[in-house]
Amino acid sequence: MSVQRILIFLLAALLAACGKPEPIVIGFIAGLSNRTTDTGEAARNALTLAIEERNAAGGIGGRPLQLLVGDDGQDAATAHQAMQALIRARPAVIVGPYTSAMADVILPLADAAGVVVLSPVITAMHFVGKDDMLIRLNRSTRDNAADYARVLAERGLHRLAVAYDVRNRAFSESWLAELRSQFPAYGGEVIAAVEFESAADTMFSEVAARLLETEPDGLLFIANAVDVARLAQQTRKLSPNVPLAAAEWAASEQLVELGGQAVNGLLIAQSHNRTDEAPRFTAFRDAYRARFQRDPGYSAIASYDAGIVLFQALERRKSGQSVKDAVLRHGPYPGLQHLIEIDAFGDSTRPIHFAEIRDGQFVLVR
């Protein structure tokens, strides 16, 4: 082959390479085949939407974003396998997980690989204040339990019986411990705590009966939306008027869809304001509805915020700067409903809003 032909071949190869910039791989991990699929699917949908919008605007520095999805199945072995597969793809960051139990599994793998894990929602206290590869975009169980303690006491619910799911033990036990620590300051007391393991055959009627036999002022459930709905249904059969509350984990659309009349009046906190009519939020809400034919829940909004954080950090990242350092240094970030500020340990916070379920709707009460 002549020198001229070699040069032409190399130039053509170079032009072809220039025409297809290497994508930036974004990993995602959540429960997509288990009892918390509503949370995982909403989160995946929102991140998909954020990436589609960013790619339509030119990506990051002309490079498109490519989403790789992993299913943790809310199972340690499944999560371990999914996380290893994502790490092998060499992602810039992995968005997730969405329960503290799964964070316990995947974070050691992320630390060993040096891959940033950007979790929109996990809250357990043993993830707070640590210099590792985890960046959290949510409050802590301490923050949330303190607000619940105050609001429940204001409602006259001073003697609480609590049911909590040990399948997500890292979260539920942290949440319960913080409530027990802070409730007495408001004249409150946890008079009973009944553990259960989330499963299709869990005897929620027995859990409800054990809670009610203590004659509490109200019941509090620390569980996912599916299990809170079932607990509420079994409770209403035994005590139609006992006040109910649930930890923020259950605040998805599935709670209303599955709970029906049984969850009417239930108190629950949410990490977003559903009544927000600010143009930026309504634009996201309308785009999400158009793309997925349903309203975005808390995990969707938090995951879209994760996209906002990630895109700004990657766009402003300097040559040689790690992704973790870029995320920590290039804020604050304009979230959909609040300014996201991340501290040196990768911890953040967000506002909280209490709602009651009334006639199939989440109605803000404070």
Side-chain angles (χ1 to χ4, degrees), residues 115 186 215 235 237-238 307:
V115 176
Y186 301 96
E215 298 184 357
T235 299
K237 293 177 182 179
L238 301 172

Side-chain angles (χ1 to χ4, degrees), residues 173-249:
E173 290 190 345
S174 175
W175 209 106
L176 178 57
E178 294 302 326
L179 180 65
R180 279 177 159 153
S181 173
Q182 303 193 55
F183 206 17
Y186 301 96
E189 177 187 7
V190 176
I191 61 172
V194 178
E195 68 175 52
F196 68 91
E197 186 167 352
S198 176
D201 60 355
T202 301
M203 295 298 293
F204 288 108
S205 58
E206 294 180 4
V207 176
R210 290 178 61 189
L211 295 174
L212 290 168
E213 70 184 11
T214 63
E215 298 184 357
D217 296 334
L219 306 187
L220 173 70
F221 307 134
I222 307 174
N224 64 59
V226 174
D227 291 340
V228 169
R230 293 180 66 192
L231 280 164
Q233 289 164 349
Q234 294 303 319
T235 299
R236 293 303 187 206
K237 293 177 182 179
L238 301 172
S239 180
N241 299 316
V242 66
L244 301 180
E248 66 282 356
W249 179 20

Side-chain angles (χ1 to χ4, degrees), residues 17-26 50-67 89-93 310-311 313-315 317-321 323:
C18 291
K20 294 184 178 180
E22 182 182 1
I24 299 172
V25 176
I26 307 299
I51 288 175
E52 288 173 349
E53 291 173 346
R54 187 69 192 203
N55 282 339
I60 304 292
R63 295 175 63 188
L65 300 163
Q66 178 185 354
L67 181 64
R90 302 178 65 84
V93 68
L310 178 59
F311 303 157
L314 291 178
E315 188 174 48
R317 181 184 175 197
K318 301 184 187 326
S319 177
Q321 186 177 34
V323 173

Side-chain angles (χ1 to χ4, degrees), residues 24-304:
I24 299 172
V25 176
I26 307 299
F28 172 85
I29 188 164
L32 299 170
S33 60
N34 65 292
R35 295 171 65 76
T36 61
T37 54
D38 61 323
T39 300
E41 288 174 356
R44 180 200 58 199
N45 290 346
L47 188 59
T48 297
L49 178 63
I51 288 175
E52 288 173 349
E53 291 173 346
R54 187 69 192 203
N55 282 339
I60 304 292
R63 295 175 63 188
L65 300 163
Q66 178 185 354
L67 181 64
L68 291 184
V69 174
D71 175 17
D72 62 38
Q74 285 298 286
D75 172 76
T78 303
H80 193 277
Q81 184 177 16
M83 186 65 176
Q84 286 184 319
L86 288 174
I87 289 172
R88 286 195 294 270
R90 302 178 65 84
V93 68
I94 296 173
V95 177
Y98 288 78
T99 65
S100 296
M102 293 300 97
D104 274 336
V105 175
I106 73 170
L107 189 55
L109 298 175
D111 286 341
V115 176
V116 169
V117 172
L118 180 60
S119 177
V121 300
I122 64 169
T123 59
M125 284 304 300
H126 71 268
F127 298 118
V128 177
K130 293 186 176 180
D131 184 13
D132 52 19
M133 298 307 293
L134 174 64
I135 295 173
R136 298 184 318 105
L137 300 184
N138 205 357
R139 314 170 98 224
S140 69
T141 51
R142 179 167 297 165
D143 298 327
N144 286 341
D147 284 331
Y148 269 86
R150 184 185 70 256
V151 172
L152 290 168
E154 290 173 353
R155 290 178 160 234
L157 307 180
H158 294 99
R159 300 175 70 257
L160 279 183
V162 179
Y164 63 103
D165 175 17
V166 294
R167 192 172 181 188
N168 190 13
R169 188 184 298 272
F171 168 77
S172 62
E173 290 190 345
S174 175
W175 209 106
L176 178 57
E178 294 302 326
L179 180 65
R180 279 177 159 153
S181 173
Q182 303 193 55
F183 206 17
Y186 301 96
E189 177 187 7
V190 176
I191 61 172
V194 178
E195 68 175 52
F196 68 91
E197 186 167 352
S198 176
D201 60 355
T202 301
M203 295 298 293
F204 288 108
S205 58
E206 294 180 4
V207 176
R210 290 178 61 189
L211 295 174
L212 290 168
E213 70 184 11
T214 63
E215 298 184 357
D217 296 334
L219 306 187
L220 173 70
F221 307 134
I222 307 174
N224 64 59
V226 174
D227 291 340
V228 169
R230 293 180 66 192
L231 280 164
Q233 289 164 349
Q234 294 303 319
T235 299
R236 293 303 187 206
K237 293 177 182 179
L238 301 172
S239 180
N241 299 316
V242 66
L244 301 180
E248 66 282 356
W249 179 20
S252 75
E253 318 317 293
Q254 201 167 34
L255 175 60
V256 173
E257 294 167 3
L258 297 180
Q261 287 299 311
V263 296
N264 211 36
L266 181 143
L267 178 74
I268 193 163
Q270 301 181 316
S271 57
H272 65 287
N273 178 3
R274 289 174 176 270
T275 65
D276 188 0
E277 291 298 325
R280 192 155 170 263
F281 180 74
T282 57
F284 159 73
R285 184 190 62 203
D286 294 345
Y288 189 95
R289 283 175 177 169
R291 180 73 168 79
F292 304 108
Q293 290 76 55
R294 61 186 300 125
D295 283 337
Y298 78 91
S299 66
I301 292 162
S303 298
Y304 194 87

Side-chain angles (χ1 to χ4, degrees), residues 355-366:
E356 273 187 12
I357 298 176
R358 298 175 185 168
D359 298 323
Q361 301 293 324
F362 290 95
V363 179
L364 289 184
V365 294
R366 59 180 305 132

